[in-house]
Amino acid sequence: MADAIAPLKRLAILDDYQGIAMSLGPWDKLAGVEITVFRDTITDRDALVQRLAPFDAILAMRERTPFPRALIERLPNLRLLVTTAARNRSIDAAACAERGIVFCG
């Protein structure tokens, strides 16, 4: 249970094509969290897993990078998955719930 309340360490912001994500939020409130912004989209599943495996939090820009069960199951460190929309049908919410990953928009 200690992992469920441990502070986040690494956040990936995906698909920030315009390079504006860091100007749109109070990121300084996440003191101690290493934030990495990716401006490109990776469609190769193995390359995406390799990129995202170290992160415990991911911010997905709308539906640009889908998160089906097969991807979620390969991200052992993931604890928080945030989407910029109110809902996101490209993210398997049931898979997140089963793994104890907080999923929100």
Side-chain angles (χ1 to χ4, degrees), residues 5-103:
I5 59 172
L8 296 173
K9 296 177 183 175
R10 297 188 72 193
L11 167 67
I13 299 175
L14 305 185
D15 306 309
D16 183 16
Y17 298 153
Q18 296 176 319
I20 60 170
M22 294 305 293
S23 68
L24 297 175
W27 300 106
D28 59 320
K29 302 272 186 205
L30 297 178
V33 177
E34 176 186 333
I35 300 172
T36 304
V37 178
F38 297 102
R39 295 188 66 181
D40 61 332
T41 297
I42 293 181
T43 57
D44 177 84
R45 180 74 47 87
D46 291 333
L48 185 59
V49 167
Q50 185 174 1
R51 174 181 274 185
L52 298 180
F55 294 94
D56 53 3
I58 297 172
L59 170 59
M61 296 287 184
R62 310 248 348 151
E63 295 85 13
R64 294 177 185 164
T65 297
F67 281 83
R69 176 179 298 277
L71 174 59
I72 292 167
E73 289 174 345
R74 292 180 63 191
L75 300 174
N77 295 318
L78 187 59
R79 296 188 297 123
L80 173 65
L81 182 54
V82 180
T83 181
T84 56
R87 61 182 170 181
N88 188 327
R89 291 191 174 139
S90 70
I91 296 175
D92 189 330
C96 288
E98 289 169 20
R99 289 230 9 249
I101 298 166
V102 175
F103 169 52

